[in-house]
Amino acid sequence: MTIGGVLVDNDRRQDIIAILHDLQREFRRTELHCTNLNHNQLVRYSREVSRIRLKAFGVISRKGTLGSYAREIGHKSSSYYHKNVQYILERVGMCAAEYGIKQYEITVCIESGICELSKLKKYISLCRINPIYPDSKHLKHIDPERIITRSKQEEPLLQLCDLVAHSLYRCAERNQGNLGVTESRYLRELRSRFYSDRANKKVIGRGIKAVHSLDQLHLEEDIKAELETLTTE
């Protein structure tokens, strides 16, 4: 599973939506859904987004590494998704703390039909109260009551989340549909937008979380090396 997110200044929202609408017209699409775009369109899309002022975040998780946790959640896909949303919100919270963004200034928008909103809010609230893992303390910068759901038609910026998730998915997934060929080009085009370590500019561990390590994802060696050394510069 890959999840993508972006942190966008609300004052820039309409300008970004205008850029997305221009790309829709250029590609002759009513929606920028990555699975419906060809390689050149995805490169063009990624390159255009790389020029937008935003912070990108991503999570890559391999279901085969769940172990006993799969039994704990009763093998429910919604619970697995909520766990990965927790991971990405931890990244956002970390970024918010670093840049002095208050929790009341952040509204989290998730695509409709993907999560069970009331259960997700309760889950994030519990993680805030009892942050078992070090990264979970960053959830104090995320207000569960400010988590909402919208369709892509209601919130066009969700298309950006789809692009970030797709850029990670294509690095990891090998199937019949892509002839077993992974593709890191889209991630490379977007790399400057990812939240990263201020000192060394590395993205892994900041803007991208590998669950629970790159080794556990069973990536191809060249992709693994690329992610390990991925920086925003």
Side-chain angles (χ1 to χ4, degrees):
M1 176 184 285
T2 61
I3 297 179
V6 295
L7 184 61
V8 174
D9 188 331
N10 196 50
D11 289 344
R12 297 176 179 270
R13 184 172 177 275
Q14 292 304 322
D15 291 338
I16 297 172
I17 290 174
I19 292 171
L20 297 177
H21 284 164
D22 286 344
L23 287 167
Q24 288 173 356
R25 285 192 290 270
E26 181 181 334
F27 299 159
R28 297 181 181 179
R29 301 284 182 180
T30 57
E31 181 183 319
L32 296 173
H33 196 291
C34 291
T35 56
N36 296 328
L37 302 179
N38 63 39
H39 173 71
N40 288 339
Q41 289 171 332
L42 284 168
V43 172
R44 170 86 172 88
Y45 183 14
S46 302
R47 189 169 295 173
E48 194 65 34
V49 171
S50 74
R51 300 187 178 104
I52 298 173
R53 184 181 171 185
L54 55 80
K55 291 294 182 185
F57 307 85
V59 172
I60 314 176
S61 175
R62 185 170 175 269
K63 292 180 181 178
T65 64
L66 288 177
S68 61
Y69 181 68
R71 293 189 294 275
E72 290 177 24
I73 63 175
H75 299 275
K76 292 182 179 179
S77 59
S78 61
S79 297
Y80 176 49
Y81 180 79
H82 293 170
K83 185 67 176 178
N84 284 285
V85 170
Q86 173 198 337
Y87 291 143
I88 205 165
L89 291 181
E90 289 171 354
R91 309 288 104 195
V92 175
M94 187 187 303
C95 180
E98 185 173 338
Y99 287 91
I101 304 171
K102 308 301 182 184
Q103 67 169 355
Y104 62 81
E105 296 178 299
I106 299 175
T107 298
V108 177
C109 184
I110 297 173
E111 187 172 358
S112 303
I114 294 179
C115 72
E116 297 180 46
L117 185 57
S118 60
K119 289 184 179 180
L120 175 62
K121 287 182 175 182
K122 182 178 180 180
Y123 176 67
I124 298 300
S125 295
L126 291 173
C127 291
R128 279 164 51 101
I129 295 168
N130 183 26
I132 297 173
Y133 302 103
D135 280 352
S136 296
K137 69 181 185 292
H138 300 298
L139 291 173
K140 67 182 180 182
H141 300 285
I142 304 296
D143 182 354
E145 293 308 311
R146 295 183 66 84
I147 301 175
I148 62 175
T149 59
R150 297 287 187 271
S151 68
K152 286 194 178 80
Q153 288 71 38
E154 294 172 308
E155 181 46 81
L157 296 186
L158 286 169
Q159 294 172 110
L160 297 174
C161 302
D162 177 58
L163 175 63
V164 175
H166 189 78
S167 73
L168 295 172
Y169 181 80
R170 289 301 308 273
C171 289
E173 181 65 10
R174 286 164 289 183
N175 55 41
Q176 289 184 341
N178 61 27
L179 303 180
V181 177
T182 53
E183 175 60 79
S184 61
R185 175 68 182 275
Y186 319 127
L187 182 63
R188 290 199 304 274
E189 293 286 347
L190 291 170
R191 68 191 180 99
S192 65
R193 294 298 97 204
F194 277 93
Y195 174 51
S196 65
D197 186 285
R198 278 191 171 182
N200 58 28
K201 308 301 181 184
K202 284 194 173 182
V203 174
I204 287 290
R206 291 284 182 157
I208 296 176
K209 179 178 179 68
V211 184
H212 294 278
S213 69
L214 285 174
D215 286 334
Q216 291 188 14
L217 295 178
H218 295 182
L219 301 170
E220 292 183 332
E221 285 303 315
D222 60 333
I223 296 289
K224 178 186 172 185
E226 191 167 354
L227 283 169
E228 284 176 327
T229 58
L230 188 69
T231 67
T232 52
E233 295 183 347

